[in-house]
Amino acid sequence: MDLVIRDARVIDGTGGPSYRADVGIEDGRIAAIRREGEPRPSGARVLDAAGLALSPGFIDMHAHSDLALLRDPEHTAKAAQGVTLEVIGQDGLSYAPVDDATLAQVRQAITGWNGDGSDIDFDWRTVGEYLDRLDRGIAVNAAYLIPQGTVRMYAAGWDDRPATDAELARMKRLVAESMEQGAVGMSSGLTYTPGMYAADSELTELCRVVAGYDGYYCPHHRSYGAGALQAYEEMVTLTRDAGCALHLAHATMNFGVNKGRAPELLTLLDEALDAGADISLDTYPYTPGCTTLVAMLPSWASEGGPDAILERLRDEATAERIRHHMEVIGADGCHGVPIEWDTIEISGVAAPGLADHVGRTVADSAARAGEAPWTTARRLLIEDRLGSTILQHVGHEENVRQIMRHRVHTGGSDGILQGAKPHPRAYGTFPQYLGRYARELGVLTLEECVAHLTARPAARLRLPDRGLIREGYRADLVLFDPDTVAAGSTFEAPRTLPVGIPHVLIDGRFVIEDGRRTNVLAGRSVRRTGR
């Protein structure tokens, strides 16, 4: 064997009891699993894993590393957590498929998520070309979802109107071509423009194309606030009609209107599952959310794209309409709930001169300036050219715990790596699950928790040789200390690396060794297989 991991506590991803074994690796795959009492394999290298748990590599079902994978070859934020595969292209907005005009627009629209891309050579336009770019060598593996908002932008622009027959036909061709090139499914951001302008009938047609390639639909649906349950039901109905598998992105129940209402969501999902629906979901193990400040605006204020948004914000009368919609009515960008500025914390800015706002709520910054919160928020949006990111403190711990226990739950960080003070989930999601929610709180057993982070997401992605510790499977593996593993990241120090994860392997190669990042770039694109 190339490597033998000796005397590990194997947590194999099935959710069943762990066991003691030696695991041999050869040519990037698990070649032997020998339990206590069986003949021990020999290897060119032997790693003593006494006291450590060995699990499959963790799969981040909701990542925003679309440019970070190219910008930061080490990508320690994810590798150090034991993440060996990320699913990117989330929330309906990413960088392929595009033409030149669409690329320029999407770069500006999601600067808050990924930076403006001025340090990236955008030498691709199609999904296949983007995946080829990843294949030059990245820190961890990556699968890609077709971003429906980008597709709509490409085919129909930023107008709030139904797509024409010709535009819908073009969108369907783009989706089909992208699936053929290796995408695993399609995402939407239905509180983000222009994807939110699509009617259910349009989304159903696109989902039918995705279903034809055995892919899945991953919507950030139309409300996580006032209309959350109706929005979940809408996605269940839509994918049932399309015959498409459904994966619910960051499946939370937020804002005061949803406190204690997770059981209603879980009942809805159980009824659909029992009727034969193919549904899964992901969550992050924290209560605050994270997005961009511009996402809070009403959709009508975002029609036409970033330049049109800025023009409206500069116009006094229109800006007052936006304020009234956000503070009194409840904008669809803020999930139909009147915005509470003391829950909106600025986590990052694109313009260095605005750095004093980072780590403060909009309400706090406004009080310091002696002005109304909307005045502060409006100025931030204009001066930062829509690049500000926020934490939104609107979640409920009891909802988080109940949803993570569900039979189709998986883990996703929703980690935005931009900004001076990002959400700690970007650096801490997976050790937070293992340390806080499994070991400390007992919400899940350790074996259950590992299954949620490995085999379940691998099954959703239709991956035949990942997510379990079995002979013949890829040696994407994590060694961690069950007694000490914990997230180091906090809201005060969000870029702190976790503890208790000394070794991470991808294809049998160490990307984390003795707690330190190696120079290995073992990651590649993980493309859709079969039809």
Side-chain angles (χ1 to χ4, degrees):
M1 304 289 170
D2 300 324
L3 170 68
V4 173
I5 300 172
R6 183 83 76 202
D7 198 30
R9 175 187 171 186
V10 175
I11 304 177
D12 64 7
T14 63
S18 60
Y19 56 88
R20 192 75 52 192
D22 296 347
V23 175
I25 298 167
E26 189 168 9
D27 294 331
R29 293 186 178 269
I30 299 169
I33 302 172
R34 299 289 181 264
R35 301 198 185 206
E36 286 183 299
E38 297 179 347
R40 299 192 119 173
S42 60
R45 177 178 175 184
V46 175
L47 176 64
D48 183 0
L52 298 177
L54 178 68
S55 81
F58 305 135
I59 298 176
D60 188 343
M61 286 296 288
H62 193 101
H64 288 282
S65 303
D66 307 48
L67 298 186
L69 284 163
L70 304 176
R71 174 183 294 124
D72 174 20
E74 292 192 355
H75 204 43
T76 308
K78 293 300 182 68
Q81 295 183 58
V83 172
T84 59
L85 170 60
E86 298 184 288
V87 185
I88 55 178
Q90 298 285 352
D91 293 331
L93 291 166
S94 189
Y95 306 93
V98 292
D99 57 11
D100 291 352
T102 304
L103 176 60
Q105 292 174 324
V106 79
R107 283 175 60 181
Q108 185 176 359
I110 54 175
T111 292
W113 292 357
N114 299 309
D116 64 8
S118 57
D119 55 343
I120 300 292
D121 178 12
F122 288 89
D123 59 352
W124 70 85
R125 293 296 180 269
T126 69
V127 167
E129 290 168 348
Y130 175 67
L131 297 179
D132 289 343
R133 174 69 179 274
L134 298 181
D135 283 341
R136 297 179 199 173
I138 50 179
V140 305
N141 297 307
Y144 190 76
L145 294 168
I146 304 159
Q148 171 262 329
T150 300
V151 168
R152 195 176 213 273
M153 195 187 310
Y154 190 171
W158 284 83
D159 295 338
D160 183 1
R161 60 170 176 79
T164 67
D165 290 345
E167 289 166 344
L168 180 56
R170 189 180 188 195
M171 283 188 262
K172 290 169 71 174
R173 285 197 304 272
L174 288 168
V175 170
E177 290 167 1
S178 299
M179 291 298 295
E180 289 169 1
Q181 292 164 11
V184 296
M186 182 180 73
S187 74
S188 283
L190 300 179
T191 63
Y192 300 130
T193 53
M196 71 189 312
Y197 299 144
D200 284 1
S201 57
E202 180 180 314
L203 296 172
T204 300
E205 287 299 304
L206 299 182
C207 282
R208 288 194 175 113
V209 177
V210 172
Y213 292 91
D214 202 23
Y216 69 93
Y217 180 44
C218 179
H220 165 129
H221 52 268
R222 298 190 192 274
S223 176
Y224 291 82
L229 283 173
Q230 295 91 331
Y232 281 113
E233 186 172 12
E234 175 190 9
M235 295 298 102
V236 170
T237 300
L238 185 156
T239 49
R240 181 194 63 210
D241 293 346
C244 188
L246 172 64
H247 180 84
L248 296 164
H250 37 58
T252 57
M253 294 285 287
N254 288 337
F255 302 91
V257 295
N258 288 317
K259 184 176 175 61
R261 298 187 68 189
E264 296 175 59
L265 166 62
L266 301 181
T267 296
L268 168 68
L269 298 182
D270 282 333
E271 289 175 352
L273 288 162
D274 291 344
D278 183 358
I279 301 174
S280 55
L281 59 88
D282 66 68
T283 70
Y284 47 84
Y286 298 88
T287 52
C290 178
T291 187
T292 56
L293 183 58
V294 67
M296 298 292 100
L297 301 182
S299 58
W300 61 261
S302 297
E303 187 176 4
D307 290 339
I309 297 171
L310 289 167
E311 184 177 343
R312 292 186 183 102
L313 288 167
R314 293 186 183 106
D315 179 77
E316 293 294 336
T318 308
E320 173 57 22
R321 282 184 61 211
I322 294 172
R323 182 206 65 78
H324 181 78
H325 212 115
M326 294 176 70
E327 294 185 349
V328 179
I329 299 173
D332 46 8
C334 194
H335 307 273
V337 177
I339 197 163
E340 297 175 336
W341 294 111
D342 59 353
T343 69
I344 306 296
E345 177 185 352
I346 304 301
S347 60
V349 292
L354 300 171
D356 284 350
H357 293 280
V358 173
R360 296 176 181 165
T361 66
V362 171
D364 181 37
S365 280
R368 288 170 181 261
E371 61 190 16
W374 167 242
T375 303
T376 299
R378 179 188 174 195
R379 187 173 66 254
L380 262 173
L381 287 163
I382 293 170
E383 293 181 5
D384 209 23
R385 293 193 57 80
L386 314 181
S388 304
T389 53
I390 62 170
L391 303 184
Q392 196 170 15
H393 296 271
V394 292
H396 306 287
E397 180 67 19
E398 66 271 33
N399 286 348
V400 169
R401 295 188 192 187
Q402 291 191 54
I403 293 169
M404 75 168 60
R405 291 190 184 102
H406 194 264
R407 54 177 159 152
V408 297
H409 170 265
T410 68
S413 71
D414 197 10
I416 294 175
L417 298 165
Q418 286 295 115
K421 196 182 177 191
H423 196 303
R425 67 194 185 192
Y427 282 72
T429 287
F430 295 87
Q432 179 85 338
Y433 267 117
L434 298 169
R436 175 165 172 75
Y437 284 92
R439 183 183 66 242
E440 295 177 6
L441 298 177
V443 175
L444 300 167
T445 68
L446 189 58
E447 289 82 1
E448 289 171 337
C449 188
V450 167
H452 287 222
L453 307 181
T454 59
R456 286 190 186 178
R460 163 52 68 219
L461 294 168
R462 314 279 197 237
L463 302 178
D465 58 357
R466 300 177 196 263
L468 294 169
I469 295 181
R470 285 185 178 167
E471 291 182 0
Y473 275 52
R474 289 183 179 272
D476 294 354
L477 300 167
V478 182
L479 278 158
F480 65 91
D481 184 341
D483 296 328
T484 65
V485 62
S489 59
T490 64
F491 287 98
E492 293 71 32
R495 295 185 186 276
T496 308
L497 296 177
V499 297
I501 305 179
H503 303 291
V504 181
L505 297 92
I506 295 178
D507 275 357
R509 303 168 66 193
F510 285 91
V511 295
I512 299 290
E513 187 172 11
D514 295 323
R516 291 184 291 275
R517 181 71 173 90
T518 70
N519 62 2
V520 169
L521 297 178
R524 296 293 185 271
S525 68
V526 174
R527 308 191 188 210
R528 181 191 61 83
T529 58
R531 178 163 185 167

